[in-house]
Structure formats: structure tokens, C-alpha cells
Amino acid sequence: CLICGEISPDFVGMLIDSLLESDKWDLNFLNNLIFASDCLWETKNRRAIAKKDAHLLDVLKRELDNIFYYTPLDRMNNMVMNAIPDILLSQIIKVWRDDLEAIPYLQYLVQTSPDIHVQFQALSELTGYHQKDPRVLPWLKQIILSPVEGGLVRKEALKDFMKGYPEDFERININN
């Protein structure tokens, strides 16, 4: 994919289209998604193929959501199936990390993903790379103080809060 930084964005768009042509979900399609997102990541002028960019992101999000429709037995018996959510989210984070919608999407995953690893990975990205964004700290406080959020997510959020925002830790009332 390194060549995608040196070729025409229109050609990269055609390459992405060809990689997404498959309508059946299998490991080849997963490899194509990874390859397509890596090609997009290397492209110097992504604005020239903004529609392809948005479409690929939508496909990755859809696949991340759909992976949980496989039966638990399928997922339990297949180590690859268990790794797919982490792989898909890693690609989304890598390629669209600076996208305006990245933070709301990561917040959504923390609160709704049925996969605890995806929740923790999204939370880690929010409290790491996006730590200085003004949308993150109030949301993180809300997660910590919410009686609705799962215990493991709240504990991980609290741990990340203490590590990333030590100056604000004294101001939060955990006993609410």
C-alpha cells in the first residue's frame, strides 16, 4: 500500500472499489478491508476521494457491528473470529483517528459494544490520543458516575481517568 501515496487518488479509489466488490463475508473480504483501509491511509489527498473514504468507513463500522451476530459457539470455536473486532477497530482508529466523528463513534462503542475488548480499546483511544479534546473529559466523568454502565467499563474508565486527568481527579465525586 505504500505505493498509494505516490499514485493518483482516483486510482486508489478504483482499487478500493475493487477490494470491496465481494458480497460474501469471509477472511478474504476481511483482508480486503484491511488492505483497502491501509491504501486509503497512505493516500496523500484523501479529500479527492472523500466518497470512497466515507464508504469504506461505513463498511468497516457495519462489519464491526455485524460480527456480533455470529453465534457465541462460532466465535468461541474460532480464534480468528474473536480477533476480528479488534482488527477492524484498529483499522478504524489508525485511518480515521482525526476524523470529526471519531470521538462520538468511539464513545458509542464504549457504551454499546457487546465485546469488552472493543469497549476497552475504544476507551483507551479516547483517554490516550483524544485526551485533550474537550468532549472527552465530561463524557468520561459521566461514564464513571453512571450507575447504568457496566462495572468493568466503569473501572477501566476510572483507571484511565486517574492516569490521564490527575488534576481533575480531586474534583470528581465518585460517591454519587
Side-chain angles (χ1 to χ4, degrees):
C1 278
L2 291 175
I3 195 168
C4 289
E6 302 301 321
I7 60 177
S8 160
D10 292 331
F11 186 73
V12 174
M14 290 188 301
L15 178 60
I16 289 170
D17 282 343
S18 70
L19 289 167
L20 298 180
E21 278 181 357
S22 175
D23 59 351
K24 79 172 194 175
W25 203 102
D26 59 12
L27 288 180
N28 286 332
F29 183 63
L30 175 65
N31 287 332
N32 287 353
L33 284 175
I34 293 167
F35 188 62
S37 59
D38 283 344
C39 289
L40 183 66
W41 187 55
E42 292 293 336
T43 303
K44 289 181 181 173
N45 185 6
R46 285 174 51 178
R47 284 183 293 213
I49 53 172
K51 287 183 181 178
K52 307 285 184 205
D53 185 318
H55 175 68
L56 179 56
L57 178 58
D58 288 343
V59 170
L60 282 162
K61 287 178 176 180
R62 183 188 70 224
E63 294 305 321
L64 184 58
D65 286 343
N66 289 340
I67 196 71
F68 300 108
Y69 290 111
Y70 289 90
T71 67
L73 186 60
D74 289 340
R75 293 199 60 213
M76 188 170 62
N77 289 331
N78 191 336
M79 289 175 49
V80 173
M81 288 297 291
N82 286 326
I84 290 172
D86 292 336
I87 293 167
L88 292 173
L89 183 55
S90 292
Q91 287 300 110
I92 291 170
I93 289 171
K94 178 174 97 176
V95 179
W96 289 275
R97 161 179 264 175
D98 294 319
D99 188 277
L100 289 175
E101 295 302 313
I103 289 174
Y105 182 65
L106 292 169
Q107 291 169 334
Y108 164 80
L109 288 176
V110 169
Q111 294 177 290
T112 63
S113 176
D115 188 313
I116 194 73
H117 300 292
V118 168
Q119 288 177 314
F120 285 1
Q121 187 178 1
L123 184 62
S124 176
E125 177 69 8
L126 285 165
T127 58
Y129 184 79
H130 295 289
Q131 177 183 8
K132 300 297 183 197
D133 189 289
R135 298 173 288 179
V136 173
L137 182 58
W139 174 83
L140 190 57
K141 287 178 181 179
Q142 176 188 341
I143 294 294
I144 293 168
L145 297 174
S146 171
V148 177
E149 297 304 324
L152 289 176
V153 172
R154 286 179 71 196
K155 286 179 186 175
E156 189 70 15
L158 181 59
K159 181 181 86 174
D160 287 352
F161 182 84
M162 291 169 55
K163 183 174 32 170
Y165 305 93
E167 65 281 356
D168 291 303
F169 185 68
E170 296 296 323
R171 291 187 281 179
I172 191 168
N173 183 358
I174 308 266
N175 295 323
N176 278 354

